[in-house]
Amino acid sequence: MTAPTSVSRDIVESGQRAARRSDSSAGSQTRQARFRVWRGDSSGGRFEDYETQISEGMVVLDAIHQIQAESANDLAVRWNCKAGKCGSCSAEVNGMPRLMCMTRLNDLDLEQPVTVEPMRAFPPLRDLVTDVSWNFEVKKRIAKFKPRPPDAADGTWRMAQADVDRVQEFRKCIECFLCQDVCHVLRDHSKHDSFIGPRFLTYVAALEMHPLDTVVRTAELKEAHGIGYCNITKCCTKVCPENIAITDNAIIPLKERVVDDHYDPLSALVRLFRRKLARDD
Amino acid sequence: MGRYDTHQHDVLIVGAGGAGLRAAIAAAAAGVRVGLVCKSLLGKAHTVMAEGGVAAALANVDDRDNWRVHFADTMRGGQYLNNWRMAELHAKEAPARVNELEAWGAVFDRTTDGRILQRNFGGHKYPRLAHVGDRTGLEMIRTLQDHAVHLGIDVHMECTVISLLKDGDRIAGALAYDRDRGRFRVFHAPAVVLATGGIGRAFHITSNSWEYTGDGQSLAFQAGAALQDMEFVQFHPTGMVWPPSVRGILVTEGVRGEGGILVNKDGRRFMFDDIPENYRSQTADSEEEGWRYVQGDKNARRPPELLTRDHVARCIVREVREGRGSPHGGVFLDISWIKSKITDAPAHIRKKLPSMYHQFKQLADIDITSEPMEVGPTTHYVMGGIRVDGDTQMSTVPGLFAAGESAAGLHGANRLGGNSLSDLIVFGKRAGEYAARYASDNVAGNIDAASVEDTVQQALEPFGRTGNGAASEGPYQVQQELQEMMQEHVGIVRTESEMNSALESITRLAERAARVQVNGNRDYNPGWHTALDLSNLLAVSEAVTLSALERKESRGGHFRNDYPEKDPAFAGFNILVHRNNDGSMRISREPIPEMRDDLKQIIEENK
Ligand SMILES: Cc1cc2nc3c(=O)[nH]c(=O)nc-3n(C[C@H](O)[C@H](O)[C@H](O)COP(=O)(O)OP(=O)(O)OC[C@H]3O[C@@H](n4cnc5c(N)ncnc54)[C@H](O)[C@@H]3O)c2cc1C
Ligand code: SF4
Ligand code: SF4
Ligand code: FES
C-alpha cells in the first residue's frame, strides 16, 4: 500500500481543468450547424444541405453519421477506426483533402455551411465514396521486397534503430490516398497510366531504403513509375495526416538515386558498388 | 444460378485482417486457388488499429523468457478455461511467425544489439511484445497485405458474406453482396475459413468499428457450428472518455507498459489497493519497484497497473462508483509524471507513444506529455467465438474453419494484451494450411439454387417495406437501442435479473429489426447494410447473454454482481451455444479435457 504520490497535486489540478472544460461545453456549445454534402454517383450529382445539432469535440465524421441516422439513411461514407489509423474516411472538407475523423468542427468556421465532398482525383462511386481500386493495382506493379540472407544462424537479422528510423517514417502511411488526391499530376492531368503518385513513391522509398532489401528499383522508377512527372510542389506533403515528409525524405532522395544510376555512369557504378557493400556488412 | 456472379475457389477466406491474410498466404502456399472477401477495403480491417504489440517469447530483451513462461502466463490470464493445446501451440509457434514477418519486410523497433525490441504488457511476466512504436497492427497488416498481393489470391473487397451454403452436413460455399452495387455473388468452395473478427458493436461504448457486428459467429451458428465461451467479453480498462464523440476509442496498454500510472481524483494511485492473490508474488509492492520494472530492471516486479485487463477494468469501475472518478466518469492515466524520473520525458513519450500523443492532441486537445488522460473501460475484444479444433482450426461443421478473434479457445476467460496479434498469425496460418488440405481431399459440394434465392429475397425485404408508414422505422434506431441495452444490462457488471430483461429486449428488438425499412437503392447503401447487420448483432447478443446467465460465478472478463466470487464448480468446463432445429439457441456445458502432465508441470513451475 502506498500513499498518494508527488504527482497527485498535478492530477488534482488537471481534474479541475477537465471539469472546467466540460462546464464550458455543457450547455453553451451545442448548436445547429449546416453541412453541404455532395450526393451523387458516377453519372453526376449535386450538393445537398443538411442541418444537425453539434456539440463539443465533434468531428466531421460524427456530423455525417448523425445526418445519416437522422435524415439520410443511405448517405454513403467509408470509415473504420474513427481515430486516424485506417485511412478510410478521406474526403474534401471545405475544399481541403482531410480525414473526416480527425477534423474537429471547432476548427472550422461554422458561420458558413461546411462543405463535404469526395476526393476528386478518383472516380465517384456514391456520395462521399470514391473508387480507389487503381491504387491497389499500382502496388502490384512495384517489385516486391526481397531480403538479403539472414545475418544469424537462427534465420534472423540485425538492424540498428538508427537505420530503421528512416524506413519507419514511410511505413506510417495509412493509405488514405489524400496525397494522391491532391497531386496535380493525377488530379489535373490524369496521368494514372504513367505516374504512380506520391503514396507509391513513398512506398518505393520504404523498399529502397529498407536495410535488408536487395532489389534496385531505379530503372522502373524512371520508366514505369514516372518519377520524372513530379516537380516537387510539395502539395502531397502538406496534406499527409501522418506527417510523412513525402517530398523531402522520399521523393527527392529517390530522384537523386535515379539520376545517379541512370544519367551519370561513373557515380552509378560507385553507388551500386557502395550499396552492395553496405548490404554485405 | 445464372442470375448471380459466381466464383470458384478451393479455399474461400472470409475476412482480410491479420488472421484472414495469414490464412490466405498459407493456403496459397499450399498451391490451391484462394479467394478472399472482406467488408472494407484491403488493409483497413481491425488489425490495422492494434497498437501495443505482438506477443512472442523471442527472449530478445529478457533471456529468462521462453514458450513455457508464455504458455503459463496465457493460461493464468485465461483462468485455466483456455484450450490448453491452443495455448501450447501459440506459445511455441509465435516466435517463428513474428520472425517470418520480418522476412516479409516488417520493420520492428530494435534492441541496442539490433534484434527485435520487446516491451512490457499486462499479464506477461517478461517484456514480450514485439512492436513498432504504437502502430504494430498497421505494420503487421501492411506486411501481410503486401506479401499476399504477389501470390495470385483473388481479392473481393467491399463484399459482405450474408450466408454460408451447405451441401448436407458440410460446407459448400457462401453467398455475399458487393457494397458498391449491391449485387449478389455466389462463392463455391469445398473449404471456408471465417476470419471475421469480433462483436464489439453489440455494445454502446466500444473501441470497435462498424465491421464488428459478429458476422462470423452468427454465420457459423446459422450453419450449425457450436459457439464457445461467449460470456467472456473483454472490456479494455482504458478507452477515451472525453469528449463524448471519442468515447470508447482505445488508449493502448502500452502507455502503462511505458510507466503510465492510474490515479483517482484525489491523486491516489489506487491500483496498489487491491492485488489479487494469484498475482501477489509477481507484483511490485512499492512505486519505486514498479518504476524499476518498467525501466527494465530484471529484479523488479511489475507495477499493479500491469495486472490483467479484467482486474484493472473492475478497479476503475469501483473508483468511479465510489465517487473517486475523474470529472467525466473515468479515472486519470498519467504518463507525464515520468518527467520527475527522466530528463527528456516529453521527447521520450512522443517516441514511444506517437499515435497516442497524436490522438489526444488532435481529438481531445490534450498534450499527454504534460497532462494526464481521462480513461474508462471500453468494449474491446471477445474471447469467445466459434468452437474449433486446436490443431486444425476446423469448427464442428466439416470444411468450415475459423481463426483469429472470431474463433474461441486460446484466451479462455481473459485475453492478455498482445496475444491477439500472435493468435492471428499462428492460427491464421494453421487454418489456411488445414483448409487447403481439406479442399484437396474433398470435391466441391453442390449448392441449392432455391435456398440461395430465398436468402436473396430476404435480404432485399427492407426495400420492399419502404413507405409502410408508422409500423416501420430505420435500422440505425434499432441498432442504437440494442447497443445501449447491452451496455447497460450485459456490460462489465452483470446480474440475473438484468440479463433476463436483456433477453426480453432482444426478442422485442428482433421483431422491430424484422420490420425496418431502408430507402434509396442498392448502391453503396449503408442503411441497407446496417439493416442486414442487425440479425448478426442480435444473434451474438443473445449468445453472450445466455452464456453469461449460465455461468453463475465471476471469472476473467465475466463479472456477476450476484455471484461475485470465482466458483471452483465452474472451473472445469466451457459453455457452448448450439442451434436447435427451429433456429433457437441451446446451451450446454462441455468438460475441458484433462491437461497433459508435462503442461501441468509447466504451470506448477511458473506459479
Ligand atoms: C484499437 C485496438 C487496439 C488493439 N491493440 C492490440 C494490440 O496491441 N495487440 C493485440 O494483440 N491485439 C490488439 N487488438 C486486438 C486485435 O487488433 C484484434 O483482435 C485483431 O486484429 C482481430 O483480427 P482478425 O484478423 O481476427 O479480424 P479483423 O482484423 O477485424 O478482420 C476482420 C475481417 O473480416 C471481414 N469481415 C467481417 N465480417 C465479414 C462478412 N460478413 N463478410 C466479409 N468479410 C467480413 C472484415 O471486413 C475484415 O476484413 C486491438 C484491437 C483494437 C480495436
Ligand atoms: S511533390 Fe510531386 S508527388 Fe507531391 S504533389 Fe507535387 S508533383 Fe505530386
Ligand atoms: S503518404 Fe500520407 S497522405 Fe499519402 S496515403 Fe500515406 S498517409 Fe495518406
Ligand atoms: S475512420 Fe480511420 S482514418 Fe478516419
Side-chain angles (χ1 to χ4, degrees), chain B residues 554-577:
Chain B
S554 293
R555 184 188 293 267
H558 169 73
F559 184 85
R560 293 219 18 195
N561 225 358
D562 43 0
Y563 300 94
E565 301 303 324
K566 190 149 66 176
D567 180 350
F570 283 84
F573 56 86
N574 298 115
I575 291 173
L576 304 194
V577 182

Side-chain angles (χ1 to χ4, degrees), chain A residues 179 182-185 195 197-198 201 229-237 247 251:
Chain A
C179 57
V182 85
C183 175
H184 59 97
V185 184
F195 181 58
L201 290 173
Y229 283 107
C230 164
N231 55 2
I232 325 186
T233 54
K234 301 201 182 184
C235 311
C236 51
T237 303
T247 29
I251 300 182

Side-chain angles (χ1 to χ4, degrees), chain B residues 424-601:
Chain B
L424 309 182
I425 44 181
V426 168
F427 294 105
K429 174 172 185 282
R430 283 185 165 264
E433 263 166 22
Y434 283 95
R437 192 178 296 178
Y438 183 93
S440 306
D441 295 345
N442 293 276
V443 291
N446 290 315
I447 289 176
D448 173 31
S451 78
V452 169
E453 188 59 33
D454 269 1
T455 314
V456 166
Q457 288 318 319
Q458 255 175 37
L460 292 173
E461 272 175 21
F463 288 110
R465 298 188 200 113
T466 305
N468 274 5
S472 30
E473 59 185 332
Y476 296 104
Q477 284 69 28
V478 179
Q479 184 197 46
Q480 192 176 341
E481 264 181 60
L482 175 65
Q483 291 164 338
E484 279 164 12
M485 187 283 291
M486 286 297 286
Q487 186 80 33
E488 176 129 347
H489 293 318
V490 201
I492 301 187
V493 177
R494 301 163 172 174
T495 63
E496 178 159 325
S497 57
E498 291 195 349
M499 289 193 285
N500 279 330
S501 82
L503 286 178
E504 286 167 26
S505 302
I506 289 171
T507 309
R508 277 198 310 275
L509 287 161
E511 286 161 8
R512 281 167 59 187
R515 288 198 305 266
V516 294
Q517 68 171 48
V518 299
N519 38 38
N521 61 23
R522 277 150 70 171
D523 294 2
Y524 218 106
N525 186 332
W528 182 37
H529 304 165
T530 304
L532 294 180
D533 288 344
L534 284 176
S535 67
N536 297 330
L537 279 176
L538 285 159
V540 291
S541 297
E542 186 178 349
V544 169
T545 311
L546 286 173
S547 306
L549 273 165
E550 180 76 6
R551 187 168 287 283
K552 296 181 175 52
E553 64 157 353
S554 293
R555 184 188 293 267
H558 169 73
F559 184 85
R560 293 219 18 195
N561 225 358
D562 43 0
Y563 300 94
E565 301 303 324
K566 190 149 66 176
D567 180 350
F570 283 84
F573 56 86
N574 298 115
I575 291 173
L576 304 194
V577 182
H578 313 265
R579 186 176 188 274
N580 291 322
N581 285 337
D582 63 358
S584 60
M585 288 185 178
R586 173 168 44 88
I587 295 286
S588 75
R589 296 179 174 191
E590 179 72 24
I592 297 172
E594 171 93 7
M595 194 187 297
R596 278 199 335 257
D597 286 341
D598 57 323
L599 297 180
K600 276 188 197 156
Q601 200 184 333

Side-chain angles (χ1 to χ4, degrees), chain B residues 38-115:
Chain B
C38 52
K39 287 211 279 194
S40 287
L41 296 172
L42 207 50
K44 311 295 181 193
H46 242 80
T47 303
V48 80
M49 290 168 231
E51 295 161 351
V54 44
L58 297 160
N60 287 355
V61 168
D62 193 321
D63 56 16
R64 291 171 299 181
D65 203 15
N66 57 51
W67 77 264
R68 290 179 181 79
V69 189
H70 193 182
F71 169 77
D73 285 354
T74 302
M75 293 297 295
R76 186 188 304 110
Q79 309 262 342
Y80 305 103
L81 293 186
N82 322 54
N83 175 329
W84 47 261
R85 174 64 176 156
M86 284 173 82
E88 178 194 12
L89 290 170
H90 169 254
K92 282 181 173 164
E93 294 176 6
R97 295 287 78 76
V98 169
N99 284 330
E100 170 180 84
L101 291 176
E102 186 152 284
W104 295 344
V107 190
F108 292 101
D109 285 353
R110 317 308 297 178
T111 61
T112 43
D113 64 349
R115 294 181 297 166

